[in-house]
CSV table of all heavy atoms in Angstrom, one decimal:
chain,number,residue,atom,x,y,z
B,490,ILE,N,-9.4,35.7,-50.8
B,490,ILE,CA,-8.0,35.6,-50.6
B,490,ILE,C,-7.5,37.0,-50.3
B,490,ILE,O,-7.7,37.9,-51.1
B,490,ILE,CB,-7.2,35.1,-51.8
B,490,ILE,CG1,-7.8,33.7,-52.2
B,490,ILE,CG2,-5.7,35.0,-51.5
B,490,ILE,CD1,-7.6,32.6,-51.2
B,501,ILE,N,2.1,51.2,-53.5
B,501,ILE,CA,1.1,50.3,-53.0
B,501,ILE,C,1.1,49.0,-53.7
B,501,ILE,O,0.1,48.6,-54.4
B,501,ILE,CB,-0.3,51.0,-53.0
B,501,ILE,CG1,-0.2,52.5,-52.6
B,501,ILE,CG2,-1.3,50.2,-52.2
B,501,ILE,CD1,0.2,52.7,-51.2
B,510,LEU,N,-15.1,39.6,-53.9
B,510,LEU,CA,-16.4,39.7,-54.5
B,510,LEU,C,-17.0,41.1,-54.1
B,510,LEU,O,-16.9,41.5,-52.9
B,510,LEU,CB,-17.3,38.6,-53.9
B,510,LEU,CG,-18.8,38.7,-54.3
B,510,LEU,CD1,-19.0,38.6,-55.8
B,510,LEU,CD2,-19.6,37.7,-53.5
B,516,LEU,N,-22.5,50.4,-50.7
B,516,LEU,CA,-22.1,51.3,-51.8
B,516,LEU,C,-21.7,52.6,-51.3
B,516,LEU,O,-22.3,53.1,-50.4
B,516,LEU,CB,-23.2,51.4,-52.8
B,516,LEU,CG,-23.8,50.1,-53.4
B,516,LEU,CD1,-25.1,50.3,-54.1
B,516,LEU,CD2,-22.8,49.4,-54.3
B,539,GLN,N,-26.3,59.9,-41.1
B,539,GLN,CA,-25.7,61.0,-40.4
B,539,GLN,C,-25.8,62.2,-41.3
B,539,GLN,O,-26.0,62.1,-42.5
B,539,GLN,CB,-24.3,60.8,-40.0
B,539,GLN,CG,-24.2,59.7,-38.9
B,539,GLN,CD,-22.7,59.6,-38.4
B,539,GLN,OE1,-21.9,60.5,-38.5
B,539,GLN,NE2,-22.5,58.4,-37.9
B,575,ASN,N,-22.5,57.0,-48.1
B,575,ASN,CA,-22.5,55.6,-48.0
B,575,ASN,C,-23.9,55.0,-47.7
B,575,ASN,O,-24.7,55.6,-47.0
B,575,ASN,CB,-21.6,55.1,-46.8
B,575,ASN,CG,-20.1,55.2,-47.1
B,575,ASN,OD1,-19.7,55.3,-48.2
B,575,ASN,ND2,-19.3,55.2,-46.1
B,589,ALA,N,-15.0,53.9,-51.2
B,589,ALA,CA,-14.8,55.3,-51.3
B,589,ALA,C,-13.7,55.7,-52.4
B,589,ALA,O,-13.9,56.6,-53.2
B,589,ALA,CB,-14.3,55.9,-50.0
B,603,LEU,N,-10.5,62.3,-68.4
B,603,LEU,CA,-9.3,61.4,-68.7
B,603,LEU,C,-9.8,60.1,-69.4
B,603,LEU,O,-10.8,59.5,-68.9
B,603,LEU,CB,-8.6,61.0,-67.4
B,603,LEU,CG,-7.6,62.1,-66.8
B,603,LEU,CD1,-7.1,61.6,-65.5
B,603,LEU,CD2,-6.5,62.3,-67.8
B,648,PRO,N,-18.9,37.8,-63.8
B,648,PRO,CA,-19.9,38.8,-63.4
B,648,PRO,C,-20.7,38.4,-62.2
B,648,PRO,O,-20.7,37.2,-61.9
B,648,PRO,CB,-20.7,38.9,-64.7
B,648,PRO,CG,-20.6,37.5,-65.3
B,648,PRO,CD,-19.2,37.0,-65.0
B,649,PRO,N,-21.4,39.3,-61.6
B,649,PRO,CA,-22.1,38.9,-60.4
B,649,PRO,C,-23.1,37.8,-60.6
B,649,PRO,O,-23.3,37.0,-59.7
B,649,PRO,CB,-22.9,40.2,-60.0
B,649,PRO,CG,-22.3,41.3,-60.9
B,649,PRO,CD,-21.5,40.7,-62.0
B,652,TRP,N,-22.7,33.6,-60.2
B,652,TRP,CA,-22.8,32.7,-59.0
B,652,TRP,C,-23.6,33.4,-57.9
B,652,TRP,O,-23.1,34.5,-57.5
B,652,TRP,CB,-21.5,32.2,-58.6
B,652,TRP,CG,-21.5,31.1,-57.6
B,652,TRP,CD1,-22.5,30.4,-57.1
B,652,TRP,CD2,-20.3,30.6,-56.8
B,652,TRP,NE1,-22.1,29.4,-56.2
B,652,TRP,CE2,-20.7,29.6,-56.0
B,652,TRP,CE3,-18.9,31.0,-56.8
B,652,TRP,CZ2,-19.9,28.9,-55.2
B,652,TRP,CZ3,-18.1,30.3,-56.0
B,652,TRP,CH2,-18.5,29.2,-55.2
B,653,ASP,N,-24.7,32.9,-57.5
B,653,ASP,CA,-25.5,33.6,-56.5
B,653,ASP,C,-25.1,33.2,-55.1
B,653,ASP,O,-25.6,32.3,-54.4
B,653,ASP,CB,-27.0,33.2,-56.7
B,653,ASP,CG,-27.9,33.8,-55.7
B,653,ASP,OD1,-27.5,34.9,-55.2
B,653,ASP,OD2,-28.9,33.2,-55.4
B,698,ARG,N,-9.9,30.5,-57.9
B,698,ARG,CA,-10.3,30.7,-59.3
B,698,ARG,C,-11.1,29.6,-59.8
B,698,ARG,O,-12.2,29.7,-60.4
B,698,ARG,CB,-9.1,30.9,-60.2
B,698,ARG,CG,-8.6,32.3,-60.3
B,698,ARG,CD,-7.4,32.4,-61.3
B,698,ARG,NE,-6.3,33.1,-60.7
B,698,ARG,CZ,-5.1,32.6,-60.3
B,698,ARG,NH1,-4.9,31.3,-60.6
B,698,ARG,NH2,-4.2,33.3,-59.7
B,705,ASP,N,-18.1,26.1,-56.9
B,705,ASP,CA,-17.9,25.0,-55.9
B,705,ASP,C,-17.7,25.7,-54.5
B,705,ASP,O,-16.7,26.1,-54.1
B,705,ASP,CB,-16.6,24.2,-56.3
B,705,ASP,CG,-16.3,23.1,-55.3
B,705,ASP,OD1,-16.8,23.1,-54.1
B,705,ASP,OD2,-15.6,22.1,-55.7
B,763,PRO,N,-13.1,43.0,-35.9
B,763,PRO,CA,-13.7,41.9,-35.2
B,763,PRO,C,-14.9,41.2,-35.9
B,763,PRO,O,-15.3,40.1,-35.5
B,763,PRO,CB,-14.1,42.5,-33.9
B,763,PRO,CG,-14.4,43.9,-34.2
B,763,PRO,CD,-13.5,44.3,-35.3
B,766,HIS,N,-17.6,38.0,-41.8
B,766,HIS,CA,-18.4,37.8,-43.0
B,766,HIS,C,-18.7,36.3,-43.2
B,766,HIS,O,-17.8,35.5,-43.2
B,766,HIS,CB,-17.6,38.3,-44.2
B,766,HIS,CG,-17.4,39.8,-44.2
B,766,HIS,ND1,-18.0,40.6,-45.1
B,766,HIS,CD2,-16.6,40.6,-43.4
B,766,HIS,CE1,-17.6,41.9,-44.9
B,766,HIS,NE2,-16.7,41.9,-43.9
B,779,ARG,N,-31.0,34.9,-40.1
B,779,ARG,CA,-31.9,34.6,-38.9
B,779,ARG,C,-31.0,34.0,-37.8
B,779,ARG,O,-31.1,34.5,-36.6
B,779,ARG,CB,-33.0,33.7,-39.3
B,779,ARG,CG,-34.1,33.6,-38.2
B,779,ARG,CD,-35.1,32.5,-38.6
B,779,ARG,NE,-34.5,31.1,-38.7
B,779,ARG,CZ,-34.1,30.4,-37.6
B,779,ARG,NH1,-34.2,30.9,-36.4
B,779,ARG,NH2,-33.5,29.2,-37.7
B,794,GLY,N,-25.6,40.4,-51.8
B,794,GLY,CA,-25.4,39.5,-52.9
B,794,GLY,C,-24.2,40.0,-53.7
B,794,GLY,O,-23.6,41.0,-53.4
Side-chain angles (χ1 to χ4, degrees):
Chain B
I490 303 295
I501 317 296
L510 173 63
L516 304 169
Q539 292 183 25
N575 283 343
L603 279 174
W652 190 9
D653 179 27
R698 270 183 231 115
D705 182 336
H766 292 249
R779 190 188 62 71

